[in-house]
């Protein structure tokens, strides 16, 4: 399959040029500073997996478009779940709405009618939420 859409090709070309330029700058700067440039080491099992993945993808999708349609029809339930992003966004939305409702109910119960005490409770609750979000608690 050839990509003909410039909106897809241009960013890939720009990123590849920037990556290559960054590698050149990194190697020259490391030589000038006298330190070794560290690049990720290639694992043979990762290369084998990459090669197998490319071969399987070519076998399934590269020869003709009928294979792609056939594979999609066989795995249609899994494809529908994958199209929905494995429902991760929905799970996050449910968790966030439950947390917000819980915090709102707690805030409502802590209100006394005295503005200074209500403000202190609100600040304390926001600090607890901030600590939870930051992963401290």
């Amino acid at each position: 399959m050839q990509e003909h859409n410039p909106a897809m090709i241009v960013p890939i070309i720009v990123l590849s040029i920037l990556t290559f330029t960054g590698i050149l700058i990194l190697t020259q700067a490391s030589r000038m500073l006298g330190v070794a440039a560290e690049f990720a080491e290639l694992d043979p099992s990762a290369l084998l997996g990459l090669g197998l993945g490319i071969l399987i993808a070519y076998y399934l999708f590269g020869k003709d478009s009928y294979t792609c349609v056939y594979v999609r029809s066989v795995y249609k339930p899994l494809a529908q779940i994958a199209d929905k992003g494995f429902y991760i966004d929905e799970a996050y939305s449910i968790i966030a709405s439950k947390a917000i409702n819980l915090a709102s109910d707690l805030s409502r119960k802590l209100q006394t009618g005295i503005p200074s005490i209500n403000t202190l409770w609100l600040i304390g609750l926001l600090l607890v939420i901030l600590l939870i979000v930051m992963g401290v608690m």
Side-chain angles (χ1 to χ4, degrees), residues 106-129:
L106 180 62
S107 174
R108 194 175 311 121
K109 289 178 184 177
L110 293 175
Q111 289 184 5
T112 62
I114 304 170
S116 59
I117 294 177
N118 290 344
T119 304
L120 288 176
W121 278 115
L122 183 61
I123 291 171
L125 184 63
L126 290 174
L127 284 174
V128 169
I129 292 172

mmCIF file of all heavy atoms in Angstrom, residues 106-129:
data_model
loop_
_atom_site.group_PDB
_atom_site.id
_atom_site.type_symbol
_atom_site.label_atom_id
_atom_site.label_comp_id
_atom_site.label_asym_id
_atom_site.label_seq_id
_atom_site.Cartn_x
_atom_site.Cartn_y
_atom_site.Cartn_z
ATOM 1 N N LEU A 106 -18.245 15.056 49.360
ATOM 2 C CA LEU A 106 -17.461 15.318 50.575
ATOM 3 C C LEU A 106 -17.400 16.808 50.857
ATOM 4 O O LEU A 106 -17.570 17.244 51.997
ATOM 5 C CB LEU A 106 -16.053 14.744 50.422
ATOM 6 C CG LEU A 106 -15.104 14.939 51.593
ATOM 7 C CD1 LEU A 106 -15.637 14.230 52.842
ATOM 8 C CD2 LEU A 106 -13.731 14.427 51.247
ATOM 9 N N SER A 107 -17.197 17.606 49.812
ATOM 10 C CA SER A 107 -17.142 19.056 49.977
ATOM 11 C C SER A 107 -18.486 19.601 50.470
ATOM 12 O O SER A 107 -18.526 20.481 51.336
ATOM 13 C CB SER A 107 -16.766 19.707 48.645
ATOM 14 O OG SER A 107 -16.836 21.099 48.736
ATOM 15 N N ARG A 108 -19.575 19.070 49.961
ATOM 16 C CA ARG A 108 -20.901 19.514 50.373
ATOM 17 C C ARG A 108 -21.156 19.185 51.836
ATOM 18 O O ARG A 108 -21.752 19.965 52.581
ATOM 19 C CB ARG A 108 -21.959 18.854 49.482
ATOM 20 C CG ARG A 108 -23.323 19.477 49.595
ATOM 21 C CD ARG A 108 -24.334 18.877 48.617
ATOM 22 N NE ARG A 108 -23.838 18.809 47.248
ATOM 23 C CZ ARG A 108 -23.732 17.666 46.557
ATOM 24 N NH1 ARG A 108 -24.063 16.526 47.109
ATOM 25 N NH2 ARG A 108 -23.293 17.681 45.322
ATOM 26 N N LYS A 109 -20.703 18.011 52.292
ATOM 27 C CA LYS A 109 -20.931 17.604 53.679
ATOM 28 C C LYS A 109 -20.082 18.403 54.666
ATOM 29 O O LYS A 109 -20.455 18.564 55.821
ATOM 30 C CB LYS A 109 -20.625 16.119 53.838
ATOM 31 C CG LYS A 109 -21.655 15.236 53.174
ATOM 32 C CD LYS A 109 -21.298 13.774 53.304
ATOM 33 C CE LYS A 109 -22.300 12.925 52.551
ATOM 34 N NZ LYS A 109 -21.964 11.511 52.576
ATOM 35 N N LEU A 110 -18.928 18.899 54.195
ATOM 36 C CA LEU A 110 -18.029 19.614 55.094
ATOM 37 C C LEU A 110 -18.371 21.090 55.247
ATOM 38 O O LEU A 110 -17.810 21.772 56.092
ATOM 39 C CB LEU A 110 -16.576 19.478 54.609
ATOM 40 C CG LEU A 110 -15.977 18.074 54.672
ATOM 41 C CD1 LEU A 110 -14.594 18.072 54.060
ATOM 42 C CD2 LEU A 110 -15.934 17.565 56.101
ATOM 43 N N GLN A 111 -19.275 21.600 54.432
ATOM 44 C CA GLN A 111 -19.607 23.011 54.510
ATOM 45 C C GLN A 111 -20.413 23.304 55.779
ATOM 46 O O GLN A 111 -21.343 22.579 56.126
ATOM 47 C CB GLN A 111 -20.408 23.428 53.273
ATOM 48 C CG GLN A 111 -19.562 23.456 52.035
ATOM 49 C CD GLN A 111 -20.326 23.963 50.831
ATOM 50 O OE1 GLN A 111 -21.461 24.384 50.925
ATOM 51 N NE2 GLN A 111 -19.665 23.934 49.679
ATOM 52 N N THR A 112 -19.999 24.371 56.469
ATOM 53 C CA THR A 112 -20.625 24.715 57.744
ATOM 54 C C THR A 112 -21.457 25.987 57.674
ATOM 55 O O THR A 112 -22.223 26.262 58.586
ATOM 56 C CB THR A 112 -19.542 24.933 58.816
ATOM 57 O OG1 THR A 112 -18.713 26.027 58.415
ATOM 58 C CG2 THR A 112 -18.710 23.690 59.005
ATOM 59 N N GLY A 113 -21.278 26.778 56.660
ATOM 60 C CA GLY A 113 -21.969 28.053 56.569
ATOM 61 C C GLY A 113 -21.074 29.207 56.980
ATOM 62 O O GLY A 113 -21.412 30.362 56.792
ATOM 63 N N ILE A 114 -19.905 28.911 57.562
ATOM 64 C CA ILE A 114 -18.931 29.943 57.928
ATOM 65 C C ILE A 114 -17.896 29.995 56.803
ATOM 66 O O ILE A 114 -17.194 29.015 56.564
ATOM 67 C CB ILE A 114 -18.268 29.623 59.281
ATOM 68 C CG1 ILE A 114 -19.350 29.462 60.362
ATOM 69 C CG2 ILE A 114 -17.252 30.687 59.650
ATOM 70 C CD1 ILE A 114 -18.818 28.908 61.661
ATOM 71 N N PRO A 115 -17.792 31.132 56.108
ATOM 72 C CA PRO A 115 -16.931 31.187 54.917
ATOM 73 C C PRO A 115 -15.473 30.827 55.177
ATOM 74 O O PRO A 115 -14.858 30.145 54.365
ATOM 75 C CB PRO A 115 -17.060 32.634 54.449
ATOM 76 C CG PRO A 115 -18.367 33.095 54.984
ATOM 77 C CD PRO A 115 -18.554 32.359 56.273
ATOM 78 N N SER A 116 -14.899 31.264 56.287
ATOM 79 C CA SER A 116 -13.481 30.980 56.522
ATOM 80 C C SER A 116 -13.245 29.480 56.733
ATOM 81 O O SER A 116 -12.263 28.919 56.246
ATOM 82 C CB SER A 116 -12.976 31.780 57.731
ATOM 83 O OG SER A 116 -13.729 31.437 58.879
ATOM 84 N N ILE A 117 -14.146 28.810 57.440
ATOM 85 C CA ILE A 117 -13.990 27.368 57.657
ATOM 86 C C ILE A 117 -14.228 26.620 56.347
ATOM 87 O O ILE A 117 -13.519 25.659 56.026
ATOM 88 C CB ILE A 117 -14.933 26.880 58.782
ATOM 89 C CG1 ILE A 117 -14.498 27.514 60.093
ATOM 90 C CG2 ILE A 117 -14.956 25.370 58.862
ATOM 91 C CD1 ILE A 117 -15.379 27.185 61.260
ATOM 92 N N ASN A 118 -15.225 27.064 55.582
ATOM 93 C CA ASN A 118 -15.472 26.425 54.282
ATOM 94 C C ASN A 118 -14.257 26.557 53.362
ATOM 95 O O ASN A 118 -13.901 25.618 52.657
ATOM 96 C CB ASN A 118 -16.691 27.043 53.607
ATOM 97 C CG ASN A 118 -17.975 26.674 54.311
ATOM 98 O OD1 ASN A 118 -18.007 25.746 55.117
ATOM 99 N ND2 ASN A 118 -19.032 27.407 54.012
ATOM 100 N N THR A 119 -13.616 27.722 53.392
ATOM 101 C CA THR A 119 -12.429 27.935 52.567
ATOM 102 C C THR A 119 -11.297 27.025 53.008
ATOM 103 O O THR A 119 -10.594 26.438 52.169
ATOM 104 C CB THR A 119 -11.992 29.411 52.643
ATOM 105 O OG1 THR A 119 -13.087 30.245 52.264
ATOM 106 C CG2 THR A 119 -10.817 29.686 51.737
ATOM 107 N N LEU A 120 -11.102 26.867 54.325
ATOM 108 C CA LEU A 120 -10.054 25.973 54.819
ATOM 109 C C LEU A 120 -10.328 24.522 54.410
ATOM 110 O O LEU A 120 -9.415 23.790 54.019
ATOM 111 C CB LEU A 120 -9.924 26.093 56.342
ATOM 112 C CG LEU A 120 -9.285 27.379 56.844
ATOM 113 C CD1 LEU A 120 -9.316 27.419 58.375
ATOM 114 C CD2 LEU A 120 -7.864 27.486 56.351
ATOM 115 N N TRP A 121 -11.577 24.075 54.516
ATOM 116 C CA TRP A 121 -11.922 22.717 54.090
ATOM 117 C C TRP A 121 -11.658 22.542 52.598
ATOM 118 O O TRP A 121 -11.133 21.516 52.160
ATOM 119 C CB TRP A 121 -13.385 22.397 54.387
ATOM 120 C CG TRP A 121 -13.653 21.964 55.789
ATOM 121 C CD1 TRP A 121 -14.390 22.624 56.714
ATOM 122 C CD2 TRP A 121 -13.182 20.777 56.429
ATOM 123 N NE1 TRP A 121 -14.410 21.924 57.891
ATOM 124 C CE2 TRP A 121 -13.677 20.775 57.742
ATOM 125 C CE3 TRP A 121 -12.385 19.710 56.031
ATOM 126 C CZ2 TRP A 121 -13.412 19.767 58.659
ATOM 127 C CZ3 TRP A 121 -12.112 18.699 56.935
ATOM 128 C CH2 TRP A 121 -12.631 18.735 58.228
ATOM 129 N N LEU A 122 -12.026 23.541 51.811
ATOM 130 C CA LEU A 122 -11.836 23.475 50.368
ATOM 131 C C LEU A 122 -10.351 23.419 50.010
ATOM 132 O O LEU A 122 -9.930 22.622 49.173
ATOM 133 C CB LEU A 122 -12.506 24.661 49.682
ATOM 134 C CG LEU A 122 -12.443 24.694 48.159
ATOM 135 C CD1 LEU A 122 -13.150 23.472 47.587
ATOM 136 C CD2 LEU A 122 -13.074 25.956 47.632
ATOM 137 N N ILE A 123 -9.542 24.239 50.659
ATOM 138 C CA ILE A 123 -8.095 24.227 50.411
ATOM 139 C C ILE A 123 -7.504 22.878 50.803
ATOM 140 O O ILE A 123 -6.678 22.304 50.085
ATOM 141 C CB ILE A 123 -7.407 25.390 51.156
ATOM 142 C CG1 ILE A 123 -7.800 26.726 50.513
ATOM 143 C CG2 ILE A 123 -5.885 25.225 51.142
ATOM 144 C CD1 ILE A 123 -7.345 27.934 51.299
ATOM 145 N N GLY A 124 -7.913 22.355 51.955
ATOM 146 C CA GLY A 124 -7.422 21.048 52.384
ATOM 147 C C GLY A 124 -7.807 19.952 51.411
ATOM 148 O O GLY A 124 -6.993 19.077 51.086
ATOM 149 N N LEU A 125 -9.042 19.970 50.932
ATOM 150 C CA LEU A 125 -9.503 18.971 49.976
ATOM 151 C C LEU A 125 -8.734 19.082 48.664
ATOM 152 O O LEU A 125 -8.329 18.075 48.079
ATOM 153 C CB LEU A 125 -11.000 19.136 49.732
ATOM 154 C CG LEU A 125 -11.665 18.109 48.830
ATOM 155 C CD1 LEU A 125 -11.568 16.722 49.455
ATOM 156 C CD2 LEU A 125 -13.118 18.469 48.602
ATOM 157 N N LEU A 126 -8.497 20.300 48.209
ATOM 158 C CA LEU A 126 -7.728 20.485 46.985
ATOM 159 C C LEU A 126 -6.284 20.018 47.147
ATOM 160 O O LEU A 126 -5.700 19.460 46.220
ATOM 161 C CB LEU A 126 -7.777 21.950 46.549
ATOM 162 C CG LEU A 126 -9.129 22.439 46.032
ATOM 163 C CD1 LEU A 126 -9.086 23.932 45.764
ATOM 164 C CD2 LEU A 126 -9.532 21.686 44.782
ATOM 165 N N LEU A 127 -5.707 20.209 48.323
ATOM 166 C CA LEU A 127 -4.352 19.715 48.578
ATOM 167 C C LEU A 127 -4.310 18.192 48.543
ATOM 168 O O LEU A 127 -3.374 17.599 47.997
ATOM 169 C CB LEU A 127 -3.830 20.241 49.916
ATOM 170 C CG LEU A 127 -3.386 21.697 49.934
ATOM 171 C CD1 LEU A 127 -3.028 22.127 51.351
ATOM 172 C CD2 LEU A 127 -2.204 21.904 49.010
ATOM 173 N N VAL A 128 -5.321 17.555 49.134
ATOM 174 C CA VAL A 128 -5.371 16.092 49.100
ATOM 175 C C VAL A 128 -5.500 15.605 47.666
ATOM 176 O O VAL A 128 -4.804 14.666 47.245
ATOM 177 C CB VAL A 128 -6.536 15.571 49.976
ATOM 178 C CG1 VAL A 128 -6.774 14.095 49.743
ATOM 179 C CG2 VAL A 128 -6.252 15.830 51.445
ATOM 180 N N ILE A 129 -6.358 16.244 46.876
ATOM 181 C CA ILE A 129 -6.513 15.866 45.472
ATOM 182 C C ILE A 129 -5.205 16.077 44.717
ATOM 183 O O ILE A 129 -4.782 15.239 43.920
ATOM 184 C CB ILE A 129 -7.672 16.647 44.825
ATOM 185 C CG1 ILE A 129 -9.006 16.186 45.422
ATOM 186 C CG2 ILE A 129 -7.676 16.482 43.312
ATOM 187 C CD1 ILE A 129 -10.180 17.026 44.992
#
